[in-house]
């Protein structure tokens, strides 16, 4: 499938039809096979995340998890470095790319996955006891703190270290989706996201246990109301359906009911009442009320006993080991490699995860260093999220800004609002990031970035001449065009496509007439950047 076709006027339907035709031809499906494949592809238009493909599709590459070894024909170059950094970070600055090229690919991966000092907290309020006002001021203090949390996280993404941490923190926020429309307590939201940030490459099994008794999740999926006299099944269901196994994959309704009984007794922790009658709540941890725990025998996933919350997680991971490992590895694969999961690679990743007692670091290290990850079939095959696209542009243009509220608003308009996913399943992602209206909104957002420097007091100050002088040879229009293409695109352009952008850049000038000191040069640079960021290739990494 030509990747550009997804972004033509035919949109996703044309891309799906093209992929179906290609798959049918590759599979040699006789007698109704094409209809079966097209039906399967229509079924998977929605986000599968951790679920297996509805149809076993041919592998796009034979490359495996063996380490990638650059060759003279396929060298460690600017294109590969940009690809690696854009997949693991939100955009790449030229300085990031230049630094990466002084290292081997494996050394860069090690640096990206290395532990980093944790950021300073957004405010002293994160450690303060939570008190809900809901009075005449509409709980202004808590609303202000929630807004501060959103902008703080936005700032961490925009000004991220040379690290995968923020990309994975957002990945886990999507995996364990909670909504501030439901959990409007800023402290609990902060400590929930902090749990992910501290453990982005930690132990998946332990993360499941920690999330299960986190105040944020106890509020979001009603675990605080889960008591022995009236078990609440919400979290037990999502624990298996969305967090560990996948819908209908190795559990029954009886397991959901038994799981709910095992999880009874955990609730948010009251710290007593203030003189004004308002209740204080612990900002960090939950509490176990043994009087509300169902002490009866339960049969869960075929195991019978007097199980409690920790037992539930242990049983899921022991009795459904393969299903859990493949489920989370598919999600990681689809996030960092390609939307259509390669089951051969998934099986190998899952085995590695189990061998390492559910520690994620060896799996991600192996994947990101692999020949499979660096195979040309996977480069430029991932549709960018709003943060990958918009924040990626800010970082590539090296715009220094404090306009975090504007960034948050722009990315929310493009479909990704931090701390407010659409539902318990998180964001649909992949092809859902692009539609006719959202594509136009993307263009408008980056056009505004590029033009904002014209204002007397810009929120996104951008000097086109200074930027070009920094990233390229300012006297050479051909070199400028090529360097801009390499910085923003993972997919190489052919000579015709490059000439189209060069002609857009020169806008009537001959190449020998190009002079960066000419007053007209500024608008020509802006025109080139707008065209580059509007192209299909800019929507892919």
């Amino acid at each position: 499938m030509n990747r550009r076709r997804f972004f033509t006027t035919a949109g996703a339907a044309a891309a799906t039809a093209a992929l179906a035709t290609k798959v049918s031809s590759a599979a040699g499906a006789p007698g109704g096979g094409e209809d079966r494949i097209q039906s399967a592809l229509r079924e998977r238009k929605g986000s599968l995340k951790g679920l297996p493909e509805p149809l076993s599709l041919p592998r796009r590459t034979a490359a495996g998890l063996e380490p990638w070894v650059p060759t003279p024909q396929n060298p460690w170059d600017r294109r590969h470095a940009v690809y690696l950094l854009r997949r693991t970070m939100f955009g790449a600055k030229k300085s990031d790319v230049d630094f990466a090229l002084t290292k081997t690919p494996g050394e860069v991966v090690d640096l990206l996955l290395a532990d980093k000092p944790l950021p300073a907290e957004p405010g002293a309020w994160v450690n303060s006891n939570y008190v809900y006002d809901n009075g005449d001021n509409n709980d202004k203090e808590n609303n202000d703190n929630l807004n501060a949390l959103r902008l703080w996280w936005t700032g961490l993404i925009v000004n991220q270290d040379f690290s995968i941490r923020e990309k994975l923190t957002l990945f886990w926020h999507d995996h364990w989706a909670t909504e501030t429309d439901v959990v409007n307590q800023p402290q609990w939201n902060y400590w929930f996201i902090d749990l992910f940030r501290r453990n982005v490459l930690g132990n998946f099994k332990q993360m499941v246990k920690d999330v299960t008794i986190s105040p944020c999740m106890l509020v979001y999926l009603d675990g605080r109301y889960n008591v022995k006299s009236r078990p609440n099944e919400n979290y037990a269901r999502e624990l298996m359906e969305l967090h560990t196994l996948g819908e209908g994959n190795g559990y029954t309704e009886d397991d959901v009911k038994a799981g709910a009984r095992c999880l009874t007794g955990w609730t948010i922790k009251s710290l007593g009442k203030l003189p004004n009658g308002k209740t204080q709540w612990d900002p960090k941890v939950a509490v176990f009320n043994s009087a509300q725990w169902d002490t009866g025998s339960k049969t869960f996933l075929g195991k019978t006993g007097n199980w409690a919350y920790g037992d539930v997680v242990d049983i899921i991971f022991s009795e459904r080991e393969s299903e859990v490992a493949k489920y989370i590895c598919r999600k990681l694969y689809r996030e960092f490699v390609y939307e259509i999961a390669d089951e051969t690679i998934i099986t190998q990743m899952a085995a590695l995860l189990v061998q390492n007692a559910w520690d994620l670091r060896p799996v991600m290290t192996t994947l990101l260093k692999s020949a499979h990850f660096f195979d040309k079939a996977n480069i430029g095959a991932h549709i960018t999220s709003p943060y990958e696209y918009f924040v990626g542009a800010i970082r590539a243009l090296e715009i220094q800004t404090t306009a975090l509220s504007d960034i948050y608003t722009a990315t929310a308009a493009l479909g990704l609002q931090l701390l407010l996913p659409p539902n318990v399943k998180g964001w649909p992602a992949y092809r859902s990031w692009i539609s006719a209206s959202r594509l136009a909104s993307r263009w408008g957002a980056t056009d505004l970035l590029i033009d904002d420097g014209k204002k007397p007091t810009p929120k996104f100050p951008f000097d086109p001449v200074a930027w070009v002088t920094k990233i390229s040879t300012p006297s050479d229009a051909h070199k400028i065009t090529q360097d801009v293409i390499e910085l923003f695109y993972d997919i190489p352009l052919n000579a015709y496509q490059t000439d189209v952008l060069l002609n857009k850049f020169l806008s009537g000038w001959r190449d020998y007439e190009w002079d960066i000191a000419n007053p007209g040069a500024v608008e020509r640079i802006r025109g080139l950047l707008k065209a580059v960021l509007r192209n299909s290739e800019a929507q892919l990494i």
Side-chain angles (χ1 to χ4, degrees), residues 70 76-77 81 96-109 111 162:
W76 171 238
D77 56 10
D96 294 329
V97 180
D98 291 343
F99 172 72
L101 290 172
T102 67
K103 309 289 183 181
T104 67
E107 289 172 337
V108 177
V109 170
L111 288 169
F162 193 88

Side-chain angles (χ1 to χ4, degrees), residues 11 41 48 59 93 95 156-157 186-187 270 281 305 321 330 336 452 455 466 469 479 484 488 509 513:
L41 290 172
L48 293 175
R59 294 190 69 197
K93 300 178 182 179
S95 57
L156 291 178
I157 291 172
Q187 287 93 327
S270 170
W281 304 95
E321 179 182 86
R330 283 192 199 97
F336 289 97
D452 201 56
K455 298 176 182 177
T469 302
K479 186 69 166 61
V484 169
F488 284 98
W509 287 1
E513 295 176 318

Side-chain angles (χ1 to χ4, degrees), residues 23-266:
V23 171
S24 177
S25 175
E34 182 173 345
D35 290 341
R36 181 173 61 87
I37 292 168
Q38 288 177 337
S39 175
L41 290 172
R42 281 194 296 271
E43 181 183 340
R44 85 160 315 284
K45 279 192 346 183
S47 173
L48 293 175
K49 294 198 172 181
L51 298 175
E53 297 293 331
L55 178 72
S56 179
L57 300 176
R59 294 190 69 197
R60 303 170 72 242
T61 170
L65 291 181
E66 68 276 4
W68 178 54
V69 179
T71 65
Q73 296 75 32
N74 191 28
W76 171 238
D77 56 10
R78 189 163 294 274
R79 178 193 174 207
H80 286 94
V82 168
Y83 162 69
L84 172 60
L85 296 182
R86 287 173 47 151
R87 285 292 181 95
T88 53
M89 300 168 64
F90 293 96
K93 300 178 182 179
K94 181 180 183 295
S95 57
D96 294 329
V97 180
D98 291 343
F99 172 72
L101 290 172
T102 67
K103 309 289 183 181
T104 67
E107 289 172 337
V108 177
V109 170
D110 288 338
L111 288 169
L112 288 165
L113 271 56
D115 292 330
K116 301 283 185 179
L118 290 168
E121 297 168 350
W125 57 266
V126 303
N127 293 298
S128 301
N129 297 339
Y130 171 73
V131 179
Y132 186 61
D133 183 354
N134 200 28
D136 293 338
N137 65 359
N138 196 29
D139 202 23
K140 183 177 184 305
E141 180 180 351
N142 282 308
N143 288 336
D144 288 347
N145 288 339
L146 269 178
N147 187 54
L149 177 58
R150 295 184 184 103
L151 301 188
W152 172 80
W153 191 1
T154 301
L156 291 178
I157 291 172
V158 174
N159 302 304
Q160 65 196 264
D161 296 325
F162 193 88
S163 173
I164 199 174
R165 184 171 60 192
E166 293 309 318
K167 180 68 79 73
L168 274 172
T169 301
L170 184 54
F171 171 85
W172 294 121
H173 172 42
D174 177 69
H175 180 69
W176 280 296
T178 57
E179 306 163 63
T180 50
D181 279 358
V182 179
V183 189
N184 57 8
Q185 295 84 354
Q187 287 93 327
W188 292 339
N189 278 279
Y190 170 77
W191 289 111
F192 197 52
I193 300 303
D194 181 72
L195 189 164
F196 305 147
R197 183 170 285 111
R198 289 174 181 271
N199 297 282
V200 289
L201 290 163
N203 189 280
F204 180 59
K205 181 178 177 181
Q206 186 58 50
M207 287 176 72
V208 174
K209 288 186 175 182
D210 292 342
V211 165
T212 298
I213 58 171
S214 66
C216 192
M217 187 58 76
L218 286 169
V219 172
Y220 183 61
L221 287 177
D222 301 323
R224 59 178 167 165
Y225 301 129
N226 187 19
V227 295
K228 64 181 181 181
S229 62
R230 191 174 63 254
N232 186 294
E233 298 173 7
N234 285 356
Y235 181 74
R237 183 178 305 281
E238 307 308 353
L239 170 63
M240 291 181 281
E241 181 173 312
L242 297 178
H243 304 158
T244 57
L245 291 170
E247 187 174 359
N249 187 23
Y251 65 93
T252 67
E253 283 298 309
D254 286 341
D255 292 321
V256 172
K257 292 179 172 62
R261 291 176 59 208
C262 299
L263 295 168
T264 51
W266 284 94

